[in-house]
Each structure stands twice: as structure tokens, then as C-alpha cells.
Amino acid sequence: MIRLPRRSLFAAALALPMAARAQAAWAPTRPVRLVLPFAPGGLTDILARAAAEQLSARWGQPVVVENRAGAGGNLAAEAVARATPDGHTLLVATQGIIAINKVLFERLSYDPDTDFLPIAMLAEQPNLLVVSPRALPDATDVASLVAKLRATPDGLPYGSNGVGSFTHLSMELLRATLGVPMTHVPYRGSAPLLTDMVAGTIPVALDGLATSKPQVGAGGALRAIGVTSARRFRAMPDVPAIAETVPGFDASPWYGVFAQGTTPEPIQAGLEAAFRAVLEGPGWAAVLAQREADAMPQGRATLATLMERERRTWRDAVRRSGARAE
């Protein structure tokens, strides 16, 4: 009979509960819902479905994407806030729900500061700072645009996708950072805005990558002079970050996954581990490359700090803009 030393037996005894705990890490016991505040087809929807497919394989449970568009994302947020905090109903959100709506809307049926906590970041995709060569032939980079803005006492007009939209608030953030006057001209979406920019009616705007990229580059009618991310965007490496001229500027849309604020810690940890395994794997890198998006840092502590910063940034931008949701 082989006898193990007492120290080895003691170590083995200690290790058993740890192994048991590792094996018993939280996992869903029924289908998981990813609730989105947007209609199918956009980047949020595409990313959520790609993550759902990989999570389903990992968990052995269906992960279903549920689109609940409307009311500036508040319908989706309310549905998740009221769901049981057991890890089976999650919110996929952007700055709107988490950082903006609390001051943009007069009343909310949920509190984004306490009802949601970050689990993971799917991606970020910067907006483009675009100018109309017809209206601003000499604005070839951010520095020359800034010089033009500072030389125009009455302020240049700028376009956006609507009052209170992310592009509106991002330009307000840039305007306030530079300390220059500008006049907001809201549009009902990117298509009419870009049409007027091509015609030279609107000289400058921030716009989404998917809609503005076809209009820039070789043969394009518009000129991209900056991206809103803190660093250059790998899909457009020749376009500088605005932050290279305006230090500290960072206004990129991100796409995050949130659980209810009262979700128990073991469930939070299980969700975080599963999402990190997906988002830090090679399969997800391929998804981001295909969709021209960038990865973001992970870890609940890191994301909690990011959310604090985002709330301050965008709520200040809303207050400065004077925007209110109808």
C-alpha cells in the first residue's frame, strides 16, 4: 500500500473544494436573451448575433437575440431592468442608454446608474469627421479645420443625424473642447445630411463609418480628416485620430453587454468569464476585422471605471447642447 505524506494529503484536501468550485462556475440552465435597442441589420445586431452563436456553443444553451427598438432604447432597457437578475436576460447597449438618456429624457422608468452593470464590451467603431470640399476646400486636416473655425466669429454650421443623436453630442463635445461657436443643423438621418454635404450646403459633420466611408477616399465627394477614437482606426490607418490635434478627444460609439445591477456576484463572474473567452479568442478577431470594428478592454472593474467616465462626458455634452428628447 502506498502512503502519501501528510503534507500531500493536506494539499489534496484543500485542492478538492477549489476544483469543485471551478467546475461549478455559473452557467445558464435555459436559453439566454440578448435584448437590443435597435432593429435588425445594424452593427449592434450583427455583433450580438455573432457573440450569441459562440456563446451558445460554449454554454450548450441557445442564446437568442431579441430586437426591441424604439423610444431611444428605453423599451429595451426597461424590459431588461425588470427581468429577473439571474443571468438569462442581458442588455446590449451603447452610450445612449447607459450614459445619455438619463439627462436627455425628462423621465425614465429605469435608472441606468444602478439598474445595469457592465459585463463585456463587444467592440467600438469610431465615427468620421468629414468635410465638404465644395464648402471648405482648404480644410485638408483637423488643424486647418480648427483654424477655419477659430477664424469664423459667427461659427460654421455643422450637420448631425438629429437633435440629441450621438453625432450631435460628439460635435458639441468637440466644439466645447475647442471653445469655438458653431451652429447645429439637424437632419433626419445620414442620407439627407451627406447629400447636402456633397452639394456644399453643410461644410462639416461627424457621421457613422458605414454611411460616410463610401463618400470619402479616392474618387469620393467628401473628405475624411479624422476619426473619433483615441487612436487611429486600423481599418483606415491613413486618417488621423482627432486626438492627434485635439489632445484627449475620444468620442467613439461602443457596444457593451450589461446585466441587472442586482445580479449576484457568482453569476456576474460566470458571465464575464464566458464573454471574455469569446471576445479574446481568434474567432472574435475575425468578426471585428470583417465588420471594421476594434476590440476594447475587458474586465468588470475596468468597464465600471469606463462607464463612470462616459456618464460624465456625455451628460455634460447633453447639458451644453440643450437637447431634450421629445
Side-chain angles (χ1 to χ4, degrees):
M1 178 177 179
I2 299 175
R3 294 183 179 273
L4 293 174
R6 182 177 297 181
R7 182 175 296 178
S8 297
L9 290 171
F10 182 66
L14 289 178
L16 284 174
M18 293 176 65
R21 281 196 296 271
Q23 292 173 359
W26 181 88
T29 57
R30 62 181 188 276
V32 173
R33 291 190 301 151
L34 298 182
V35 182
L36 276 62
F38 305 110
L43 182 59
T44 313
D45 183 72
I46 291 169
L47 293 173
R49 292 181 189 278
E53 182 179 358
Q54 296 190 40
L55 288 166
S56 295
R58 182 175 183 82
W59 279 329
Q61 291 285 347
V63 179
V64 181
V65 173
E66 180 179 317
N67 301 89
R68 288 202 179 195
N74 292 330
L75 296 180
E78 180 180 344
V80 176
R82 292 182 176 180
T84 303
D86 59 5
H88 291 82
T89 304
L90 305 173
L91 177 69
V92 181
T94 62
Q95 282 98 333
I97 290 174
I98 302 302
I100 294 173
N101 285 1
K102 188 167 183 175
V103 292
L104 185 63
F105 287 82
E106 185 175 351
R107 295 185 189 87
L108 292 179
S109 59
Y110 63 93
D111 186 343
D113 296 350
T114 58
D115 286 346
F116 302 113
L117 53 87
I119 296 297
M121 280 289 160
L122 300 179
E124 71 169 339
Q125 186 184 71
N127 288 328
L128 293 180
L129 178 62
V130 293
V131 297
S132 168
R134 286 192 176 187
L136 296 175
D138 298 328
T140 57
D141 53 24
V142 176
S144 55
L145 174 63
V146 171
K148 179 65 175 179
L149 291 172
R150 288 180 171 157
T152 310
D154 295 333
L156 290 175
Y158 73 89
S160 82
N161 297 334
V163 174
S165 66
F166 193 71
T167 54
H168 172 208
L169 299 178
S170 297
M171 188 62 90
E172 280 298 306
L173 179 63
L174 180 59
R175 183 199 62 76
T177 302
L178 294 173
V180 296
M182 297 184 76
T183 302
H184 179 217
V185 182
Y187 284 77
R188 290 185 177 273
S190 291
L193 165 62
L194 296 176
T195 297
D196 277 3
M197 290 194 72
V198 170
T201 305
I202 296 294
V204 61
L206 285 169
D207 190 57
L209 186 78
T211 50
S212 57
K213 189 178 178 184
Q215 298 282 358
V216 303
L222 301 178
R223 181 183 296 138
I225 61 172
V227 294
T228 58
S229 48
R231 61 192 182 282
R232 293 199 182 204
F233 183 47
R234 62 183 176 84
M236 301 182 72
D238 294 334
V239 180
I242 297 172
E244 293 178 32
T245 303
V246 186
F249 186 80
D250 183 0
S252 284
W254 44 254
Y255 308 87
V257 179
F258 295 80
Q260 296 86 352
T262 55
T263 302
E265 170 60 28
I267 299 177
Q268 294 182 42
L271 288 169
E272 178 186 0
F275 272 95
R276 288 189 77 153
V278 168
L279 302 179
E280 294 176 355
W284 193 253
V287 171
L288 296 183
Q290 183 180 16
R291 299 301 173 183
E292 295 188 325
D294 273 348
M296 291 189 68
Q298 302 298 330
R300 285 177 288 150
T302 298
L303 298 184
T305 300
L306 173 62
M307 292 305 103
E308 291 177 7
R309 188 197 75 186
E310 291 290 274
R311 290 182 180 109
R312 288 193 303 269
T313 297
W314 297 111
R315 290 172 188 177
D316 285 349
V318 173
R319 293 184 182 105
R320 284 193 299 265
S321 72
R324 299 294 294 176
E326 297 179 358

